[in-house]
Amino acid sequence: MSTAILTGQPVPGSSIEADLRSLGFDVRIASDAAAAGALLAEVPAGQRVAVVDARFVGHEHALRLGLTDPRFPLAAIPGAVTAQPAARRALALAMDRATAGGNTAASEPATTGGTEPAAPEAVTGDAPEAVSGDAPAPVGTLLTGALADRVAAALSADGSDPHRPDLGSLVATVPDDPQTRNEARQAVAAVDDEAVRLKSAVKARDGFFTTYCISPYSRYIARWCARRGLTPNQVTTASLVTALIAAACAATGTRPGFVAAGVLLLASFVLDCTDGQLARYSLQYSTLGAWLDATFDRAKEYAYYAGLALGAARGGDDVWALALGAMVLQTCRHVVDFSFNEANHDATANTSPTAALSGRLDSVGWTVWVRRMIVLPIGERWAMIAVLTALTTPRITFYALLIGCSFAATYTTAGRVLRSLTRKARRTDRAARALADLTDSGPLAERLAGALKPVARRLPGFTAPAVALLGGAAVTATAALTGFGGPWPVLAALLYVLTSALAVARPLKGPLDWLVPPFLRAAEYGTVLALAAGAGVNGALPAAYGLVAAVAYHHYDTVYRIRGDAGAPPPWLVRATGGHEGRTLAVVVLAALLTASQFAVALTVLAVAVALLVLLESIRFWVTAHRGGAPAVHDEGEPA
């Protein structure tokens, strides 16, 4: 339960008390600032608490945005301020400061210069500068105005600046007299806050297919779910189940099965859009929900690839190599996105002529949509897969997917390389740590990296991505081009261990060092694919698919932990799974020592072992973080 302290004398006809109760607040009345401070001290420490001026006039959704968003420990809108349990102490200190020194009582009008009443300020999208009323007050300044606004100003002055949501056309104001109150109520009546709420439920930046073919109606499904008490996590789970049923239909290998699979895949994507819109509509953000949404997207897509491969096999066409190739390509695309974003997350002097050109192109409407479509985001990609599944064969579907994703990967990577080479930016220690975590270096690479540090310091700045590329290309090409079971891949894998260590021997702060993680991912996954294809026995490629899927999950999980400021997976997990270089060397040695049939069994055992380790640790971590009250997150990010 949350508590709202309503300060000042109630205004006849005001709906503020009913609005707060509808948002889940237990409302308590304080006639003045001293009473508000006493009530604040009585609220249990584990509850969210809000301080709201009784004269507040505004939309209910403005209150919802300002007082119920779980992502922010402190938040404020004009006439209201709130704190989650973790920020209660800061709120209490600000309350003491706002009520000390003979400041204006909560029920008195705000003043400017001590004589004339200040004009009320309604917060709308046309006046963003009025979001907080006044600029943060420096320490020692007399704080005046509504108590909630004085508390918010005191928080800002103390360095605990509350989040101030963008209210757009919504109204939030504290009128001082009947005339301005009447004007504020007319402004409220002129804007349909439900229409604003529905519109804001849709992600601000999305793909063409999602924006024009899904969101126009999925937002209403989200509202329907909200009114029936459904949670985003329940919708996310329904999307996963629908996609798994689609994969099962594709695995039948029949034309009706393929048609049903395509329809269900689109239905799964509608639900995938709905869960995020439901989270934004009802402000139901959570750490666990963000993790489920991100991981289930990957699980759905890669399970569907496996279903297509099984269905093709029933018809006598072995496309497991294509399915694995599609998963490797898509995963490496994501690693490029993650690594580039982390490398430039907090870079200073972040300028680039290429970025400036991109900004100019964004001002031309049609170029925005073309550029979003050619990168084949999840909406366009799943629509293409669904249509091709229903109308053609799995082989054609995978060919189209590989061609489209290859073009998209080339386009995005080339643009980011150009940005990196032309921008003048200084990468931070945080970015270097994130890239080091994304490399997933195991004990072999770490120990060698320590010994190679003196050498690495003397090498040019492009050494890290260069040696990562050369070592990865050597092991993958050797595995693909030499006969299965030969010694050459083992020698290439040993070289790969050495180059991988050299790549991470110094902090990854170079302009192109963000390429190191995707190069290492491509090397590990590509080597497994090449050796499984070279084995030429039934079961080798499906086993390789399972192994790469398990390892890819581990790498995605690393990304989501970094994004949630939770750090990398524990060192014991990285050591237990061997790191990328250890796994690559192990797979190559197994191929050299075992027969092709034994190798397929070994890959299966390795896939199960890695999957159990990473899944159990990942589930333990995220469930514990959720139960422990970890800050809620919601990543709008780029379309995946």
Side-chain angles (χ1 to χ4, degrees):
M1 189 69 178
S2 302
T3 297
I5 301 172
L6 203 58
T7 64
Q9 297 301 320
V11 177
S14 173
S15 64
I16 182 62
E17 190 171 344
D19 289 342
L20 289 170
R21 287 202 168 93
S22 71
L23 295 177
F25 286 94
D26 176 27
V27 179
R28 302 183 185 183
I29 309 297
S31 58
D32 55 28
L39 287 175
L40 177 63
E42 295 174 3
V43 176
Q47 285 189 13
R48 173 193 283 272
V49 64
V51 178
V52 184
D53 194 286
R55 298 167 299 162
F56 177 90
V57 174
H59 289 96
E60 181 180 337
H61 191 50
L63 286 170
R64 181 182 290 107
L65 291 172
L67 303 182
T68 68
D69 195 325
R71 295 173 295 176
F72 308 104
L74 290 164
I77 57 175
V81 62
T82 184
Q84 294 197 61
R88 283 284 302 277
R89 177 172 172 77
L91 181 67
L93 292 174
M95 175 78 82
D96 290 342
R97 228 191 111 205
T99 57
N103 284 346
T104 310
S107 59
E108 295 175 359
T111 60
T112 57
T115 55
E116 297 296 326
E121 294 182 279
V123 179
T124 70
D126 298 326
E129 70 278 1
V131 169
S132 60
D134 298 313
V139 175
T141 299
L142 183 66
L143 299 171
T144 62
L147 176 62
D149 293 338
R150 286 158 31 211
V151 171
L155 285 167
S156 297
D158 292 339
S160 302
D161 199 29
H163 169 71
R164 303 178 190 274
D166 179 9
L167 300 182
S169 58
L170 299 175
V171 175
T173 186
V174 180
D176 294 325
D177 54 66
Q179 179 180 348
T180 53
R181 171 171 292 277
N182 184 56
E183 292 172 353
R185 285 175 171 171
Q186 291 177 1
V188 170
V191 176
D192 183 352
D193 73 335
E194 178 60 21
V196 173
R197 189 181 178 190
L198 266 177
K199 183 178 179 180
S200 64
V202 178
K203 187 185 293 187
R205 176 184 172 88
D206 222 328
F208 181 88
F209 179 78
T210 304
T211 299
Y212 290 104
C213 300
I214 304 296
S215 293
Y217 59 88
S218 61
R219 70 183 75 180
Y220 295 100
I221 301 176
R223 182 172 66 180
W224 183 89
C225 292
R227 290 177 174 176
R228 281 151 185 82
L230 297 177
T231 67
N233 290 352
Q234 291 171 331
V235 179
T236 300
T237 303
S239 176
L240 174 67
V241 171
T242 304
L244 294 178
I245 296 173
C249 291
T252 63
T254 63
R255 180 52 52 192
F258 287 147
V259 172
V263 172
L264 288 171
L265 185 64
L266 288 177
S268 174
F269 183 65
V270 172
L271 292 174
D272 183 54
C273 295
T274 300
D275 64 2
Q277 291 165 357
L278 174 58
R280 286 181 286 272
Y281 181 84
S282 55
L283 299 185
Q284 296 184 72
Y285 303 117
S286 70
T287 298
L288 182 64
W291 172 67
L292 288 176
D293 183 52
T295 54
F296 281 9
D297 278 352
R298 306 287 77 79
K300 288 180 287 190
E301 186 165 1
Y302 299 155
Y304 192 82
Y305 292 174
L308 282 176
L310 288 170
R314 286 180 177 272
D317 188 12
D318 187 354
V319 297
W320 274 108
L322 296 177
L324 181 50
M327 181 168 65
V328 169
L329 179 56
Q330 190 59 31
T331 303
C332 289
R333 280 187 63 197
H334 286 143
V335 176
V336 168
D337 295 340
F338 300 147
S339 295
F340 180 80
N341 290 334
E342 287 302 325
N344 297 284
H345 175 74
D346 50 5
T348 57
N350 195 5
T351 58
S352 164
T354 308
L357 174 61
S358 177
R360 288 194 295 271
L361 288 175
D362 282 344
S363 64
V364 183
W366 65 271
T367 66
V368 175
W369 293 116
V370 170
R371 291 163 64 217
R372 290 186 191 178
M373 292 173 66
I374 62 177
V375 300
L376 211 63
I378 188 170
E380 278 74 0
R381 190 168 68 251
W382 282 26
M384 180 186 73
I385 294 171
V387 171
L388 291 177
T389 298
L391 300 180
T392 63
T393 65
R395 180 172 290 273
I396 292 175
T397 301
F398 281 123
Y399 281 153
L401 184 62
L402 287 166
I403 293 170
C405 288
S406 296
F407 177 81
T410 302
Y411 170 78
T412 55
T413 305
R416 287 168 178 171
V417 168
L418 286 174
R419 289 190 183 196
S420 300
L421 291 174
T422 56
R423 73 174 11 139
K424 296 179 181 179
R426 179 176 298 174
R427 270 75 183 186
T428 63
D429 291 336
R430 178 202 176 280
R433 284 194 301 270
L435 290 179
D437 292 335
L438 289 174
T439 62
D440 190 31
S441 298
L444 290 176
E446 286 184 350
R447 291 179 182 178
L448 280 173
L452 292 172
K453 281 184 180 180
V455 177
R457 291 193 188 100
R458 296 193 294 269
L459 295 175
F462 60 83
T463 298
V467 297
L469 175 61
L470 290 175
V475 68
T476 305
T478 305
L481 300 177
T482 60
F484 178 83
W488 293 109
V490 177
L491 297 176
L494 292 172
L495 174 64
Y496 174 68
V497 172
L498 180 62
T499 57
S500 300
L502 184 59
V504 297
R506 65 182 182 186
L508 297 175
K509 293 185 177 181
L512 294 178
D513 284 357
W514 57 270
L515 286 169
V516 172
F519 284 160
L520 299 180
R521 295 294 79 75
E524 180 183 0
Y525 301 160
T527 300
V528 174
L529 169 58
L531 291 173
V537 296
N538 290 333
L541 279 168
Y545 191 94
L547 175 59
V548 171
V551 175
Y553 176 87
H554 168 57
H555 292 146
Y556 281 117
D557 188 56
T558 301
V559 169
Y560 303 139
R561 294 191 193 211
I562 293 172
R563 283 184 168 181
D565 290 327
W572 72 261
L573 180 64
V574 178
R575 289 194 296 268
T577 55
H580 69 91
E581 81 288 352
R583 289 187 299 268
T584 303
L585 182 60
V587 170
V588 169
V589 170
L590 289 173
L593 297 179
L594 303 177
T595 65
S597 298
Q598 292 171 334
F599 178 67
V601 174
L603 283 182
T604 303
V605 172
L606 189 58
V608 172
V610 172
L612 286 175
L613 278 173
V614 299
L615 279 172
L616 290 176
E617 161 55 22
S618 177
I619 293 170
R620 181 208 64 79
F621 171 81
W622 290 105
V623 171
T624 301
H626 178 69
R627 289 177 176 173
V633 296
H634 189 71
D635 181 19
E636 293 292 343
E638 295 291 331

